[in-house]
Amino acid sequence: MALRATRDNLATVSEPATTGATPSSASPLLDIRNVAKSFGKNVVLRNISLQVAEGEFLTILGESGSGKTTLLRIIAGFEAASSGEILMGGERLDRLPPYQRRVNTVFQHYALFPHLTVAENVGYGLRVAKLPPQEIATRVEQALDMVKMTAYSAVKPAKISGGQQQRIALARALVNRPRLLLLDEPLSALDANLRRQMQVELKSLQREVGISFVFVTHDQEEAMVMSDRIALLRMGELEQVASPREIYNRPASAYTAQFIGHTNLLSGEVKDGVAHCQSLSWRTGLRDGPGLFSLRPENIRLATGVSTGAAVRFRAKILRQAFHGATELLQVECADGLLLSIRAASRDNWSGDVDLEFSSADAVPVRASEIQQPQGKD
Amino acid sequence: MFSRAYRAAITVPPLVWVAVFLLLPYALLFCYSFWSVSSSQEIVHSWTLDNYRQLLRVNVYWQTLLRSMWIAARVTIFSLLLGYPLAYYLSFCAGKRKDLLYQLVIIPLWVSYLVRAYAWKTILGSDGVLNTLLQYVHLTSHPLDFLLYSPFAVVLTLTHIYTPFTFLPIYAALEHIPRNLVEASHDLGASPFQTFWRVIFPLSIPGVLAGATFAFVLSLGDFLAPLLLGGPSGIMISNIVVSLFGAAYNWPLGAAISFCMLALVLALLSLSESLEKKWSFR
């Protein structure tokens, strides 16, 4: 059931895909400049500036109410920004009605036309563009072939499963050869196994067709697997925009560190290049004053052998363990009462006192995040 | 799930009701349509098809039936032409005014039919509001007499009365169209005009069919509007049935005509139901 696309059956006008994690230095395909949006008194987006490169897979990640869907709808043209502008290929995009934008959307609930067959759904954009019937037929066939749904071309959408509807929605959008494809949580309605499979397929499809994807999701794991870059949105503001590895290894804020993956937040005091948090202390580049650090559970390991000095070593008591398959998440308590989560290899019964250590470099200084206010509307 | 007694207790009363007040009278009427009236004005209980033959032979009956259908057809078309745009506007464009406008459409349904029919009489009459106005602005020197007591007046009144009946099912159908389908259509490059004809209208067809059936069936059987505003040229089939059951005292013939209408209406209902099924996708 693999999605398959080649440059032949889905010719595009876009440049070859950039495989790097960072956008190319050339002018971006999509340029969002200082976009803000409010519904009445409810401010949904504040001062969003974001670029999408040609051929890039960008994920807008955020919890519900963060404004991610609103941002996508502004790019698609279903909502108008309250201020700011959006450019595509150097030209104003935000002044065009949605039907004149070379942007297509895969909707969260697919939004297939119930009165049209699968093939008619896929050919819809080509028919309204008044292309010659022969060309429409060829392109629809190729698009259906790409998502392996040729056998269902004469069936109405109500007769096919969610995963199949998802493929049709994808084919219906891509057949128009958009410059940019928007995907609004397209995998959220699928069950876990199918979702994981689709993540991989969607990513490889995107590589092959070379079209820029802007993918909206609340699932941080999904974002990590698929994206070239992740734009983390929180309460209408961009928290951090970076590649998955960078955003995981070098989170800029406490919120990012906690939202993406699991972390220990250590709040300490920095003095003369050394951070102190209760009985623990480690070297840091931060200036003197209060400091907040993120320390991933997997970066704390069982200490073996003699202390080298490069690692921070301490003793802690194991309180409880949670089985996660290949690993266990252990809750430990240091002598001074500091609670930490650590990730360790799976073992039946973790208990007692253990010697632990971590490298100073793994305690990443992060910006403090103010406490989350009541959420607005997504 | 439920006990037998409970099921009996809730199913028997409606069944009895339907049997006593619907099936029994219809059966009786059906029998009447095969009986006849003697010269001494008594019902003769011997079976005959004369009533149905008479219906076909006497011009005034089938011509009136045809005219009634023609009037009903015009009422249907006009109320669709008024009801659809209204429903579309309310569903897609009205925004916050939606509820208020909806109420405004519904309120006339609470006003007595008679009041509305008489209202048209005062508007259309020879010294009515419309004629007075036309003379006042010198568009005409004497009252226009085709306004009242004509098929025109009947069509106008029935259109006024039955437009809410076409509006409601169309509005319901439009409200049920997921808005993301409209967005998907725009997203795929269709202009608002294309979106209407390719997505919105096809998905609203069940509502249109239901509304058209309401307007046609209700106005086909109407007798008050033609009685009050129709005049001799605006007579409809129900007026004939009324007079056959009343002054003419020919219940058998009246019953025969009623049954022809009933058959016509049932045929229409089943046709519209099968069409609606064909056009519904959820």
Side-chain angles (χ1 to χ4, degrees), chain A residues 46-65:
Chain A
R46 289 167 230 261
N47 199 26
I48 303 287
S49 291
L50 185 64
Q51 279 99 40
V52 183
E54 204 81 64
E56 187 183 14
F57 196 124
L58 179 94
T59 296
I60 300 174
L61 176 65
E63 41 200 11
S64 72

Side-chain angles (χ1 to χ4, degrees), chain A residues 73 99 104-105 115 124 128, chain B residues 183 185-187 194 198 281:
Chain A
R73 290 174 60 80
Y99 49 92
N104 285 121
T105 307
H115 60 301
Y124 187 89
V128 298
Chain B
E183 286 179 352
S185 174
H186 289 158
D187 188 74
Q194 286 172 314
R198 286 177 180 274
F281 305 95

Side-chain angles (χ1 to χ4, degrees), chain A residues 73 78 98-99 103-105 107 111-115 124-125 127-128 130 172 176, chain B residues 180-181 183-192 194-195 198-199 202-203 281-282:
Chain A
R73 290 174 60 80
F78 304 138
Y99 49 92
V103 172
N104 285 121
T105 307
F107 290 83
L112 298 178
F113 303 120
H115 60 301
Y124 187 89
R127 272 200 315 283
V128 298
K130 301 199 170 65
R172 183 178 71 171
N176 303 296
Chain B
N180 65 3
L181 293 185
E183 286 179 352
S185 174
H186 289 158
D187 188 74
L188 292 164
S191 65
Q194 286 172 314
T195 300
R198 286 177 180 274
V199 177
L203 291 176
F281 305 95
R282 273 175 291 271

Side-chain angles (χ1 to χ4, degrees), chain B residues 16-79:
Chain B
V16 169
W17 174 275
V18 168
V20 172
F21 293 105
L22 196 79
L23 296 180
L24 204 64
Y26 275 174
L28 205 60
L29 206 63
F30 193 59
C31 293
Y32 265 107
S33 75
F34 295 101
W35 293 337
S36 56
V37 187
S38 71
S39 48
S40 57
Q41 294 281 296
E42 272 169 36
I43 306 289
V44 182
H45 297 243
S46 62
W47 306 101
T48 169
L49 282 170
D50 272 358
N51 298 315
Y52 289 95
R53 278 194 208 104
Q54 213 176 342
L55 183 61
L56 295 173
R57 217 173 42 236
V58 181
N59 287 350
V60 68
Y61 295 140
W62 61 264
Q63 278 173 353
T64 310
L65 185 60
L66 280 184
R67 184 170 60 226
S68 305
M69 288 170 73
W70 174 226
I71 287 177
R74 277 183 286 173
V75 170
T76 306
I77 289 166
F78 290 133
S79 44

Side-chain angles (χ1 to χ4, degrees), chain A residues 98-110:
Chain A
Y99 49 92
Q100 282 172 10
R101 301 185 184 198
R102 286 203 52 195
V103 172
N104 285 121
T105 307
V106 176
F107 290 83
Q108 184 169 11
H109 301 292
Y110 320 134

Side-chain angles (χ1 to χ4, degrees), chain A residues 22 39 47 57 62 118 140-141 164 174 226 235 256 267 317 333 377:
Chain A
T22 45
F39 294 105
N47 199 26
F57 196 124
V118 161
V140 167
E141 202 176 313
Q164 291 170 327
L174 284 174
M226 302 173 78
M235 294 192 302
T256 309
S267 164
K317 189 172 140 224
E333 188 181 18
K377 232 182 129 258

Side-chain angles (χ1 to χ4, degrees), chain A residues 101-158:
Chain A
R101 301 185 184 198
R102 286 203 52 195
V103 172
N104 285 121
T105 307
V106 176
F107 290 83
Q108 184 169 11
H109 301 292
Y110 320 134
L112 298 178
F113 303 120
H115 60 301
L116 302 180
T117 64
V118 161
E120 286 167 340
N121 262 285
V122 174
Y124 187 89
L126 305 176
R127 272 200 315 283
V128 298
K130 301 199 170 65
L131 262 57
Q134 193 51 51
E135 189 184 343
I136 295 177
T138 320
R139 277 169 69 173
V140 167
E141 202 176 313
Q142 286 166 350
L144 284 174
D145 187 42
M146 172 183 80
V147 295
K148 296 279 173 235
M149 288 292 291
T150 315
Y152 298 87
S153 64
V155 170
K156 294 270 168 67

Side-chain angles (χ1 to χ4, degrees), chain A residues 294-312:
Chain A
S294 158
L295 179 61
R296 297 283 182 198
E298 64 270 27
N299 290 332
I300 305 176
R301 48 192 182 271
L302 290 169
T304 47
V306 207
S307 175
T308 56
V312 180

